[in-house]
Amino acid sequence: LSPRLGAPADPEKAERKTSRKAAKAAAQAEAEAPEVDEASEKAGKKAGRKAAKAKAQEAEDGETKPAVEEVGRKKRKACLNDGKEAADAKQRRQEDGKGVATKVLGAAAFRKLHEIVVADSCPAPLETFDAAAPALGAALTKALGAQGYTTPTSIQAQSWPIALTGQDIVAVAKTGSGKTCGFLLPALARIAECGPAPVPKQLSWSSSEPARPSVLVLAPTRELALQIAGEAEKFAPAVGARVVSVYGGTPK
């Protein structure tokens, strides 16, 4: 026989079933709670570490930036001081006329460094103004210092001893290498030794004896003649000489 359809269920059995479900749900919730709490704790610790690290980095940057700025300020100040010292040193050279001596390499090493080709009998180059001073004289050496020169250029160092011994020379160098002073200074040194040419005697109110230049410099162009004359005027007064430039191609 089968039970009748629609018969009421056992209330005790239903209650026990409900109790078991509630207990199971409570146990499951209790088991999951530590996991959630542990995950939250880990996330909190991680966020705390990140915040601490960011704060430490910010503090380090705050300390480093002033230090870097201080180093930069000191470097700029040092550069300015170096420039000022260099300017002061140059001013002192201009006042007392002394050149700054450089390291002497020796004739062979100096010529090799500057690609100078000369005969074996050629005099050794005058690498410093200290070496050139006895040959050029004190007046011209002082004039060089007054113009701000500190050491002879390569073409000057080699051409001065050749010209001062009365030998011929053909020198080739680039623009701005000091060729003009390379031939002017030896000529002016000889004027300093021998004295300038005598003043022509006045023969009448309109005529005089012909002038006798002590040095004649020939230039291929008017511009170069004026350039050489301008350079000579810087040093000629030191030896009591005058400079006259003669050229054509322009109206009187």
Side-chain angles (χ1 to χ4, degrees):
L1 297 175
S2 61
R4 292 183 308 217
L5 296 176
D10 187 357
E12 294 182 0
K13 185 176 181 180
E15 186 178 354
R16 288 195 300 271
K17 186 176 182 181
T18 303
S19 299
R20 285 196 300 271
K21 285 184 178 181
K24 185 177 181 181
Q28 186 176 359
E30 186 177 353
E32 292 178 355
E35 295 180 1
V36 174
D37 293 342
E38 185 177 354
S40 300
E41 185 179 356
K42 288 183 178 179
K45 288 182 179 179
K46 187 174 182 182
R49 287 195 299 270
K50 284 185 177 181
K53 186 176 181 181
K55 188 175 181 180
Q57 184 66 35
E58 184 178 352
E60 184 179 352
D61 292 343
E63 294 177 357
T64 304
K65 186 175 180 181
V68 172
E69 291 178 353
E70 180 67 15
V71 171
R73 186 183 67 80
K74 288 182 178 180
K75 284 184 177 180
R76 289 192 296 272
K77 186 176 180 181
C79 291
L80 291 174
N81 291 338
D82 291 344
K84 186 176 184 300
E85 289 175 3
D88 292 342
K90 184 174 181 179
Q91 184 65 30
R92 286 195 295 274
R93 290 197 298 272
Q94 292 175 349
E95 291 174 357
D96 59 19
K98 293 181 180 179
V100 176
T102 59
K103 182 179 179 181
V104 177
L105 301 176
F110 184 85
R111 290 166 182 165
K112 182 178 181 181
L113 177 64
H114 298 286
E115 300 179 350
I116 299 174
V117 180
V118 292
D120 295 336
S121 59
C122 178
L126 302 174
E127 300 181 43
T128 67
F129 283 144
D130 291 341
L136 295 178
L140 286 176
T141 304
K142 185 175 181 179
L144 284 165
Q147 293 299 323
Y149 290 93
T150 59
T151 187
T153 65
S154 57
I155 192 170
Q156 293 168 356
Q158 186 59 82
S159 64
W160 284 347
I162 298 175
L164 287 168
T165 54
Q167 302 180 53
D168 295 331
I169 177 175
V170 176
V172 180
K174 63 182 180 180
T175 302
S177 58
K179 296 186 295 295
T180 304
C181 283
F183 64 80
L184 278 180
L185 270 295
L188 293 174
R190 288 293 170 261
I191 293 177
E193 289 180 2
C194 304
V199 178
K201 292 182 180 179
Q202 191 78 22
L203 300 179
S204 66
W205 66 273
S206 60
S207 63
S208 64
E209 291 181 343
R212 295 177 176 83
S214 300
V215 177
L216 177 63
V217 179
L218 301 178
T221 64
R222 178 174 65 252
E223 290 78 10
L224 187 56
L226 292 172
Q227 178 184 335
I228 294 172
E231 195 69 18
E233 287 172 351
K234 299 176 182 178
F235 302 100
V239 297
R242 293 186 302 167
V243 180
V244 178
S245 181
V246 181
Y247 53 88
T250 59
K252 292 183 180 180

